[in-house]
Amino acid sequence: MTLAGQVALVTGASRGIGRATALALAKRGAHVVATARSQGGLEELDDAIRAATGQGATLLPLDLVKEAEQLDALGPTLLQRFGRLDLLVHAAGLLAKLTPVAHIMPRDWNESLAVNLSACWRLIRTADPLLRAAPAGRALMLTDRRTEEPEAYWGLYGAAKAGQHHLVLAWAREVASTPLRVALADPGPTATNLRQVAMPGEDPKSLRQSEQVGEWLAAQMEAGFGNGAVLRA
């Protein structure tokens, strides 16, 4: 399907895969609503979109942990502003401290679940009515192989992402009788800041680049995908 004229909400859009996906969707004609914590990063994205398309994005600086209530209001805000929401890409994520499970601190636990799980739940709650009403709504949430392959010291991150994984697939079953299609997308090892922190000795040039993943995600939106699928780059 053509993405021209569609409204696309992208989280984590100030850098990495979120930024690359927002730019790729804009190049395909979608109007991007970009949200992230960094105002400066969002403004740089807007400059890139304007340079590529001649049209700007809608920027919504938002801290998923500290401004959860504003996240709840996102759906009604989009309805008032645009009257629709067609596409959702949830790329925001947080790499929790890599530590033994027995050493996880409450503050780290709460922050990881807030970003990697609760934010997804809040996004689904606020975006579901608009996406169901769209002629061909699409939602992609980024996942990680750690949800299926537990690793020592990755317990906190893996548990939060596994919760999101389950939540999204349950949502997919609930919308099966509607035009909305919901899926998870695993980009695999990608040269992002999150990856660099986790694997500081790794050569970023040996990995898939964010721009490649962004193009892949935008192409999935354009081509369509099976409801409840787990897409792998």
Side-chain angles (χ1 to χ4, degrees):
M1 67 180 182
T2 178
L3 303 187
Q6 300 206 10
V7 177
L9 173 62
V10 182
T11 70
S14 63
R15 63 184 182 181
I17 294 173
R19 181 186 188 279
T21 305
L23 182 56
L25 290 171
K27 288 179 178 179
R28 286 166 167 79
H31 179 79
V32 172
V33 180
T35 181
R37 286 186 301 174
S38 170
Q39 174 75 37
L42 289 175
E43 290 175 353
E44 291 176 4
L45 168 65
D46 187 53
D47 290 341
I49 289 177
R50 288 182 184 276
T53 70
Q55 304 291 328
T58 298
L59 309 180
L60 296 175
L62 181 64
D63 188 313
L64 297 179
V65 177
K66 298 178 181 179
E67 300 174 305
E69 292 77 12
Q70 292 188 35
L71 179 56
D72 290 339
L74 195 51
T77 299
L78 294 175
L79 177 61
Q80 184 178 23
R81 178 76 179 272
F82 302 106
R84 63 188 296 178
L85 175 64
D86 303 283
L87 312 173
L88 169 62
V89 178
H90 182 35
L94 172 73
L95 177 65
K97 290 181 180 179
L98 302 182
T99 184
V101 170
H103 296 174
I104 296 172
M105 300 301 291
R107 179 178 178 180
D108 297 330
W109 175 271
N110 292 335
E111 186 178 28
S112 179
L113 264 65
V115 176
N116 295 322
L117 177 56
S118 295
C120 180
W121 158 63
R122 289 183 180 275
L123 269 174
I124 292 172
R125 286 207 322 154
T126 196
D128 176 87
L130 287 174
L131 289 170
R132 284 179 186 250
R138 300 284 184 268
L140 282 177
M141 307 330 211
L142 265 61
T143 189
D144 190 286
R145 69 183 180 88
R146 297 295 178 195
T147 62
E148 300 171 356
E149 301 174 18
E151 186 72 31
Y153 310 114
W154 286 77
L156 176 51
Y157 175 77
K161 295 298 284 188
Q164 175 186 278
H165 190 104
H166 187 101
L167 191 71
V168 171
L169 293 185
W171 183 35
R173 289 179 177 240
E174 292 160 5
V175 302
S177 62
T178 76
L180 173 58
R181 293 294 172 261
V182 173
L184 290 157
D186 179 6
T190 305
T192 62
N193 289 346
L194 186 151
R195 179 81 183 185
Q196 189 173 20
V197 171
M199 308 288 186
E202 200 171 49
D203 181 7
K205 295 180 181 178
S206 68
L207 303 175
R208 186 179 295 110
Q209 300 301 301
S210 294
E211 291 76 14
Q212 293 173 289
V213 175
E215 287 292 335
W216 172 67
L217 291 171
Q220 300 304 310
M221 287 294 198
E222 203 167 38
F225 46 80
N227 188 50
V230 180
L231 309 175
R232 305 190 189 277

